Amino acid sequence: AVNMALYSPLNYLPQAAGMTLTGIFSRNPQVLQIGGAVESYAVCTGILYRAIRRIPYGKNTLALLALLPINLQERASLSADALSFACVTALLAFCLEHMKNCKLFTWREYLEMYVLLITAASCKIVYFLAGMLILIIPACAFGNKRKAALHRGLGLTVLLGLAGGWTVFASGYLGNTRGGGGTAYK
């Protein structure tokens, strides 16, 4: 029995990019691993830094959590959890910022919201629940109640579609796990 989580390939993009860039200079597997870990650390730390700067409440708490040894170790490894934590944290910061400052979204903020939703839902299936944080953003940020309902509905559809779609897709190739339950059971 194998032990697998339902991570999508998206979780490994920073590591793969770092290994690819490092592969230009070396074919040594240890050097490639370091290159992937450095890229993961840089990308995820950048995401967390932006989240800490923009969150209106609990900056110190969020910074402390980001500096916990386990989080530092996750970011400085080839682990898929680093991007998951960073993206969910960024989504929380985005939603809290717009909940507090009810200013009208720009097209970049709409883009950022959907990228964060797609990334959070793709990182690990259980994180689609974090995407429901968009429901705390007041309607004034979207412009009016109709636009708010449209974007909330579209955002939740994207979340459910990605989480459900990945489960269906992954169930075709992931077998039973150590716990005895297959993908559908998880």
Side-chain angles (χ1 to χ4, degrees):
V2 294
N3 186 14
M4 293 185 201
L6 293 177
Y7 290 110
S8 77
L10 179 70
N11 286 63
Y12 299 100
L13 284 180
Q15 297 90 321
M19 293 174 95
T20 301
L21 289 172
T22 307
I24 295 169
F25 306 105
S26 174
R27 294 285 180 224
N28 182 331
Q30 292 170 328
V31 173
L32 293 175
Q33 179 183 0
I34 291 169
V38 166
E39 183 71 17
S40 174
Y41 186 83
V43 168
C44 295
T45 300
I47 293 169
L48 287 170
Y49 176 76
R50 181 169 163 77
I52 291 167
R53 293 219 19 163
R54 82 183 316 178
I55 197 164
Y57 317 103
K59 287 181 188 297
N60 292 336
T61 303
L62 195 55
L64 179 68
L65 290 174
L67 291 173
L68 284 174
I70 191 161
N71 280 330
L72 291 170
Q73 186 274 329
E74 290 294 326
R75 289 197 311 270
S77 72
L78 299 179
S79 173
D81 292 322
L83 189 64
S84 298
F85 176 73
C87 288
V88 170
T89 303
L91 182 62
L92 172 68
F94 178 87
C95 292
L96 287 177
E97 176 190 38
H98 288 288
M99 184 184 82
K100 182 181 181 211
N101 307 325
C102 192
K103 60 183 175 84
L104 193 61
F105 276 7
T106 64
W107 68 270
R108 286 185 181 188
E109 289 168 323
Y110 277 115
L111 179 64
E112 183 179 5
M113 181 182 79
Y114 284 108
V115 166
L116 286 170
L117 287 173
I118 289 167
T119 307
S122 298
C123 280
K124 195 170 184 181
I125 290 171
V126 297
Y127 292 131
F128 84 94
L129 293 170
M132 292 184 184
L133 285 168
I134 64 168
L135 297 175
I136 68 171
I137 300 172
C140 60
F142 296 101
N144 58 45
K145 288 184 181 183
R146 187 180 64 75
K147 281 185 178 179
L150 173 74
H151 286 288
R152 288 175 182 157
L154 183 58
L156 293 177
T157 302
V158 165
L159 286 168
L160 190 58
L162 282 171
W166 177 245
T167 302
V168 170
F169 177 76
S171 66
Y173 70 88
L174 289 180
N176 284 344
T177 62
R178 193 177 321 176
T183 306
Y185 178 74
K186 280 188 172 182

